[in-house]
Amino acid sequence: MNELRPVNPLRRLHRPRWAEQQPTWADATPGLIGAALRRAQDRSPGGWFVLAGSREIRPGRAFGRVVAGRELVAWRDDDGMLYVGPGACPHLGAALCDAPVHDGQLVCRWHGLALGPDGRPGWRPVPAHDDGVLAWARLDDLADGRPSDAPVLGPRPTGRDLAAVATVIGRCEPEDVIANRLDPWHGAWFHPYSFTALRVLSAPPIDCPPAEDRFLVEVTFTVGRRFGVPVRAEFSCPDARTITMEIVDGEGTGSVVETHATPLRTGQDGLPRTAVIEAVLAHSDRPGFGHARRVAGALRPLVGVAARRLWRDDIAYAERRYALRAHF
């Protein structure tokens, strides 16, 4: 790409009709994608699971989510510190997801039992972490004997950025979500409304060493019907349930999309549920980006809509993969 950044990042699109694109099936080999997935699954998350976006856990109210079959509740104290504990009251099992927060403690709505960061017999908080974008909980019995002090994070922008988080729930397992993202070849075919001119410049070989375990992709993000923004992006997996896309060249260099797959529990239909919690961290050193940050409250919902639109299709992809893997 041109090292001199253009004043206007938009480029007029010159793309073929959908059916006339260059097929990518010969490059997207099951063995290559499967090997990348196996390497990712070997990377321990240290027992950490993403609960939600940091902004979803607000002062004064509890937030509940079932993670890996465990009912959890998250809340903040008066200083904004994040805490996470079991989601059932130790007295008679009342759900704590709607418990009021008073003086930094959960107050059970059934009988008024106060539960705080110090816990009580039969009810102890679990380790929690807030990285400013996402809220995490650590379940030590699911850490494979390797609990870590903090979650493993991939690359993130430093300095000025705008963060938004979107959540979509699918009938699949975390590995199906990660496998979807480890197949960048499907982008222009499955998401023509968002991507064009997609080309995988390099893919990790089956016996790839850790330092080279990433996909490098050239793609144009479409803006309307006639224009797009060309970039180069790298895809990598810092742990078994996370895949990160980082823009490494072009407009928004340093911007990151983190896709986290959090297992929930089996639904009434007998199928597993996984929450896809995607954090978009947009970054730019253009002077005008400061204006975007000032209206971040209005922009975040729009970013969330765009992310959920992509995942409307990708969840179907992941669900189909699970169905083929589990039942055929």
Side-chain angles (χ1 to χ4, degrees):
M1 290 191 174
N2 193 337
E3 294 183 359
L4 296 177
R5 186 174 61 176
V7 174
N8 184 354
L10 295 178
R11 293 291 176 267
R12 186 176 291 276
L13 295 177
H14 300 284
R15 57 180 171 181
R17 294 182 179 180
W18 181 83
E20 296 172 353
Q21 298 180 94
Q22 184 68 31
T24 57
W25 64 268
D27 294 323
T29 63
L32 191 151
I33 297 170
L37 177 62
R38 286 191 295 274
R39 290 193 300 271
Q41 290 179 310
D42 287 340
R43 299 185 184 115
S44 173
W48 291 97
F49 296 81
V50 174
L51 280 178
S54 295
R55 292 176 176 272
E56 294 181 75
I57 304 174
R58 303 175 183 177
R61 64 178 68 177
F63 177 94
R65 174 151 279 160
V66 175
V67 173
R70 319 295 173 85
E71 189 178 10
L72 299 177
V73 61
W75 79 99
R76 297 187 185 277
D77 65 14
D78 294 339
D79 295 323
M81 182 69 69
L82 175 70
Y83 296 96
V84 179
C89 179
H91 177 218
L92 288 175
L96 297 173
C97 59
D98 57 356
V101 178
H102 179 69
D103 289 338
Q105 295 184 312
L106 297 168
V107 180
C108 178
R109 296 179 65 242
W110 280 15
H111 300 92
L113 177 62
L115 299 163
D118 295 332
R120 61 181 298 119
W123 192 92
R124 297 293 179 189
V126 301
H129 181 82
D130 188 343
D131 62 31
V133 178
L134 297 168
W136 305 69
R138 195 179 78 193
L139 302 178
D140 287 354
D141 60 326
L142 299 179
D144 298 324
R146 296 178 288 174
S148 59
D149 292 337
V152 179
L153 293 178
R156 279 190 172 182
T158 57
R160 302 185 307 168
D161 61 84
L162 186 153
V165 179
T167 300
V168 176
I169 295 175
R171 292 170 295 183
C172 60
E173 294 178 332
E175 73 167 81
D176 303 299
V177 172
I178 302 303
N180 167 272
R181 280 293 192 257
L182 289 173
D183 170 17
W185 292 275
H186 78 272
W189 285 97
F190 209 43
H191 307 293
Y193 47 82
S194 291
F195 308 121
T196 190
L198 189 152
R199 190 162 60 103
V200 178
L201 301 178
S202 65
I206 290 178
D207 56 351
C208 177
E212 301 173 12
D213 198 2
R214 61 192 65 242
F215 293 81
L216 179 62
V217 175
E218 185 177 73
V219 64
T220 296
F221 294 103
T222 61
V223 180
R225 292 179 177 272
R226 296 187 299 170
F227 296 95
V229 179
V231 302
R232 286 185 180 179
E234 285 186 347
F235 291 77
S236 60
C237 292
D239 68 40
R241 293 189 297 271
T242 302
I243 185 163
T244 296
M245 183 204 76
E246 180 189 15
I247 296 178
V248 296
D249 191 14
E251 188 66 25
T253 294
S255 297
V256 165
V257 177
E258 289 180 3
T259 303
H260 301 270
T262 297
L264 304 179
R265 61 181 165 187
T266 302
Q268 293 183 350
D269 56 7
L271 298 176
R273 295 294 192 272
T274 293
V276 180
I277 304 175
E278 190 159 271
V280 179
L281 291 84
H283 173 80
S284 176
D285 56 3
R286 288 183 180 271
F289 190 69
H291 299 295
R293 296 178 67 218
R294 283 192 285 272
V295 294
L299 289 178
R300 286 192 188 97
L302 299 178
V303 175
V305 167
R308 282 187 288 271
R309 184 184 184 188
L310 281 172
W311 272 107
R312 178 191 63 195
D313 290 335
D314 276 342
I315 277 294
Y317 185 121
E319 290 178 343
R320 173 63 177 173
R321 184 184 186 276
Y322 172 77
L324 292 171
R325 184 167 56 83
H327 302 296
F328 294 96

